[in-house]
Amino acid sequence: PCEAVELPKLKKYRANVYPIQMIHTLLDTAEGTDMYLPIFLLVMVGLRRGELLALTWDDIDFKNNILKVRRNMVKGEKSYIIKAPKSESGIRDIRLGEDVMSVLKQARLQYMNDAFSYGTGFQNLGFVIRQEDGSPYKPDSMTQKWERFLKTHNLPKIRLHDLRHSNATA
């Protein structure tokens, strides 16, 4: 019955990217906020949102400056699901520069301090990007947080995933 139906042409998405100067502005604006680390890693490493949210401290080899992408967090029906990355090539090791490692070392120290000061209510699950109590962000929550951050700071609107494209373009 659908043989005579002509499908509409699919519009190919064209990513919006921040130029280098805007990336600097974004990072300067985010510095000192809880959005700095996620933005920094998305822009500097080029991770996908789900890869970022599934990242644990065990995935970071501080001795060899390597970030291991092994998992992806996706939205489930009632909660988040952690599974293998989008494709086989999504499982990868990324060599990091000293600037990225320095930020990660500071974040690791902050994690340990927060775990100690928060006490028994801290969910010590090892997520690099986490809420104050150690629990992970759900993918949609991080996207909403990103959109609020842009609006609050009057920054040009792009999708959170477009930070990955900004990384590739830079």
Side-chain angles (χ1 to χ4, degrees):
C2 293
E3 283 180 5
V5 175
E6 190 172 321
L7 294 174
K9 296 237 186 244
L10 182 64
K11 254 188 175 177
K12 191 170 184 172
Y13 178 77
R14 183 177 167 93
N16 291 319
V17 297
Y18 281 154
I20 296 286
Q21 187 54 46
M22 190 62 215
I23 290 172
H24 288 291
T25 300
L26 175 66
L27 290 171
D28 289 345
T29 304
E31 195 162 359
T33 73
D34 62 347
M35 283 300 289
Y36 182 74
L37 186 59
I39 290 170
F40 182 83
L41 290 174
L42 290 168
V43 166
M44 298 299 288
V45 182
L47 298 173
R48 293 177 178 93
R49 176 185 69 176
E51 294 169 344
L52 174 77
L53 297 178
L55 190 66
T56 66
W57 292 112
D58 290 341
D59 298 321
I60 299 171
D61 180 346
F62 286 97
K63 183 179 177 189
N64 297 305
N65 296 358
I66 293 173
L67 184 148
K68 299 173 184 180
V69 178
R70 298 293 183 266
R71 290 174 302 285
N72 185 30
M73 184 183 295
V74 295
K75 181 180 174 183
E77 283 189 37
K78 293 185 180 181
S79 187
Y80 61 89
I81 300 167
I82 295 178
K83 60 180 196 163
K86 190 174 172 180
S87 65
E88 186 68 31
S89 61
I91 298 171
R92 60 201 186 280
D93 291 351
I94 302 170
R95 185 162 300 282
L96 303 175
E98 286 302 322
D99 54 341
V100 176
M101 290 307 297
S102 175
V103 169
L104 285 170
K105 286 174 186 172
Q106 286 179 296
R108 177 69 175 138
L109 213 67
Q110 186 64 53
Y111 180 93
M112 293 186 291
N113 288 337
D114 289 351
F116 178 76
S117 61
Y118 207 86
T120 57
F122 189 81
Q123 296 183 42
N124 195 4
L125 303 171
F127 287 104
V128 174
I129 305 303
R130 60 182 171 80
Q131 297 185 55
E132 190 177 312
D133 69 351
S135 63
Y137 280 101
K138 293 179 182 174
D140 287 345
S141 297
M142 181 54 68
T143 297
Q144 291 166 0
K145 192 171 176 64
W146 164 249
E147 290 168 355
R148 283 191 307 270
F149 177 82
L150 291 180
K151 189 174 185 175
T152 300
H153 297 285
N154 200 29
L155 295 168
K157 187 176 180 190
I158 66 171
R159 299 178 316 161
L160 186 63
H161 186 73
D162 289 338
L163 293 179
R164 177 175 164 83
H165 295 291
S166 296
N167 166 273
T169 301

